[in-house]
Amino acid sequence: MEEIQEHESQTIGKDDEDEIVVEQAAGVHGDPVQHGDFPPKVDSAVEILQEKVTKQVVKEGHGQKPCKYATCFLHYRAWTESTQHKFEDTWHEQRPFEMVLGKEKKEMAGLAVGVSSMKAGERALLHVGWELGYGKEGSFSFPNVPPMADIIYEVELIGFDEVREGKARGDMTAEERIGAADRRKMDGNSLFKDEKLEEAMQQYEMAIAYLGDDFMFQLFGKYRDMALAVKNPCHLNMAACLIKLKRHEEAIAQCTIVLAEDENNAKALFRRGKARAELGQTDAAREDFLKARKHAPEDKAITRELRLLDEHDKAIYKKQKEIYKGIFGPPPRPKPKPANLLTRMWQWLTLICQWLLSLIYRLFKRERRKAD
């Protein structure tokens, strides 16, 4: 595999050919996140693939359909149809599932029928009868599926590799697998430059699938370094695509995978900070940006994002101040001070004297009339 050339003065804002560049300033706001706890509602026509398998297209794909013995890379969620209980979710695990058509496990037969009818990038809803799922007995280990349970699958075919030149992926050497992953990554970069983000992510996910945890666990020394030099940029490029698509939670997950291997990776910290800022997680975003600045102190993009966070905090404080002012209203006017106590007493005495004089005068007039 060709060595990946690094620029000598690589910064967050100036990536090499290995990693794509996304440098729009992050706003600070939040969007609802779709967790996929229940099967999606789909209005498209129902296509009968087999007696026990039907399909509804959620999103159209492109290109050809996989042939028998093709190695397919897919994400899927699975529910029991009667109870709507979700028992598998590869999206949640951030790990594509690999299936060789024609060599799938017995309980995956219905899923394989659906996948064989799909194009790369297609997402579909499959209804599979229990006969082509976990059967009459079900599964009481993992996953836990009741007996005779019909299954609903939401599945996305990321892409597939046809078996060519007589060598399947499992038969490749470490160098060949790393080289194949690197080619997928470069294809993804080209698609990104053409603004084909979904297709670019499919290539990155397929590259990552070549370098899965089981494979990475077997690598040491230079081979592990070679694999990480391909794998980590794929995760970071996925994060860049996801930020553009406003799928910020998923972008955070991709960056966190890189940081588990390299906690000081400035690009991973920077992109995770941008995704967190978009979700309104300003404290966590600031922490990521400050860590990134320690490893790239001259980078202007990091400085800009920190300045935007400060401006956001000032705007929030000003807005809250106005809100509280409206709630509590203007300060009350001061009450007039009471009159001097002696003055008040003099007024009362004057009134009493006037009343007594008036009473004495009336009594005097009455006595005078009696005398006359």
Side-chain angles (χ1 to χ4, degrees):
M1 186 186 74
E2 293 184 5
E3 289 291 329
I4 298 169
Q5 299 297 320
E6 299 282 345
H7 291 299
E8 291 183 4
S9 57
Q10 184 175 345
T11 64
I12 300 297
K14 292 186 178 181
D15 298 75
D16 55 13
E17 288 299 317
D18 216 30
E19 296 178 23
I20 54 182
V21 181
V22 180
E23 282 310 313
Q24 293 85 352
V28 185
H29 55 80
D31 294 319
V33 179
Q34 302 298 322
H35 296 289
D37 291 330
F38 299 98
K41 296 186 182 298
V42 183
D43 297 327
S44 59
V46 176
E47 180 183 355
I48 300 174
L49 303 179
Q50 279 192 13
E51 183 182 358
K52 298 297 180 180
V53 183
T54 64
K55 181 180 86 168
Q56 290 175 278
V57 175
V58 178
K59 184 184 72 173
E60 296 287 350
H62 54 85
Q64 302 297 316
K65 298 177 182 179
C67 299
K68 191 173 183 180
Y69 303 125
T71 301
C72 299
F73 303 97
L74 53 130
H75 274 306
Y76 71 90
R77 298 184 180 102
W79 298 264
T80 54
E81 188 163 9
S82 59
T83 64
Q84 305 282 289
H85 166 66
K86 183 171 69 173
F87 60 87
E88 278 194 292
D89 187 344
T90 65
W91 275 291
H92 178 73
E93 297 167 2
Q94 295 289 326
R95 184 183 303 171
F97 179 74
E98 179 184 342
M99 171 186 286
V100 179
L101 295 179
K103 295 184 178 181
E104 67 277 352
K105 295 179 180 178
K106 183 179 178 181
E107 61 268 21
M108 294 288 182
L111 178 60
V113 170
V115 170
S116 65
S117 72
M118 298 171 68
K119 299 177 181 179
E122 182 178 333
R123 184 179 292 203
L125 195 69
L126 305 177
H127 288 257
V128 176
W130 61 267
E131 297 88 345
L132 296 179
Y134 287 82
K136 189 174 183 179
E137 301 298 326
S139 172
F140 292 96
S141 57
F142 180 82
N144 187 4
V145 183
M148 301 178 67
D150 294 337
I151 300 171
I152 300 175
Y153 288 104
E154 180 187 7
V155 57
E156 180 175 356
L157 180 59
I158 299 166
F160 57 89
D161 282 336
E162 300 289 4
V163 179
R164 294 173 182 170
E165 299 176 2
K167 182 173 283 191
R169 190 178 67 135
D171 299 327
M172 292 180 178
T173 64
E175 292 95 332
E176 288 172 333
R177 285 183 72 159
I178 295 168
D182 190 44
R183 287 190 291 276
R184 290 286 187 182
K185 181 200 70 188
M186 298 306 292
D187 290 343
N189 289 358
S190 298
L191 290 165
F192 180 88
K193 290 174 183 177
D194 293 336
E195 293 294 322
K196 298 178 180 179
L197 302 181
E198 295 282 358
E199 294 176 36
M201 287 198 298
Q202 291 164 15
Q203 295 300 316
Y204 296 137
E205 285 202 83
M206 290 184 68
I208 292 166
Y210 273 102
L211 308 173
D213 291 344
D214 54 341
F215 175 68
M216 295 296 295
F217 186 74
Q218 304 172 41
L219 300 181
F220 299 94
K222 72 171 186 177
Y223 289 111
R224 184 172 180 80
D225 292 340
M226 289 168 62
L228 287 175
V230 176
K231 185 174 183 288
N232 283 350
C234 286
H235 287 297
L236 292 175
N237 294 351
M238 282 277 291
C241 293
L242 291 163
I243 289 170
K244 270 182 165 282
L245 294 169
K246 300 189 182 300
R247 291 160 59 179
H248 305 300
E249 292 281 5
E250 295 173 70
I252 290 170
Q254 293 294 327
C255 294
T256 301
I257 292 171
V258 176
L259 291 167
E261 290 284 352
D262 179 9
E263 63 181 357
N264 297 324
N265 189 298
K267 287 182 183 176
L269 289 165
F270 177 76
R271 288 181 183 168
R272 190 172 71 173
K274 289 187 72 169
R276 284 174 163 174
E278 291 285 354
L279 291 172
Q281 301 171 4
T282 52
D283 290 340
R286 182 177 286 103
E287 183 179 350
D288 280 341
F289 289 141
L290 290 173
K291 286 181 180 177
R293 189 167 67 177
K294 287 182 181 179
H295 306 290
E298 303 300 322
D299 193 272
K300 294 180 180 178
I302 299 172
T303 303
R304 183 181 66 235
E305 296 298 335
L306 285 167
R307 186 181 68 251
L308 286 173
L309 284 179
D310 289 339
E311 291 172 359
H312 171 262
D313 287 347
K314 288 177 183 177
I316 290 293
Y317 173 76
K318 185 178 179 180
K319 187 175 181 180
Q320 289 176 340
K321 190 176 179 181
E322 292 295 324
I323 291 172
Y324 293 146
K325 183 179 178 181
I327 292 173
F328 297 110
R333 293 180 180 179
K335 293 181 179 179
K337 293 182 179 180
N340 186 279
L341 182 60
L342 290 174
T343 304
R344 302 283 287 181
M345 288 179 67
W346 174 253
Q347 291 174 346
W348 278 104
L349 285 171
T350 303
L351 289 171
I352 291 170
C353 289
Q354 289 175 350
W355 179 77
L356 286 172
L357 288 171
S358 176
L359 179 62
I360 292 169
Y361 176 73
R362 286 197 299 271
L363 288 172
F364 174 75
K365 287 184 68 175
R366 186 184 300 171
E367 292 297 328
R368 188 173 181 179
R369 286 197 197 99
K370 288 180 180 179
D372 293 339

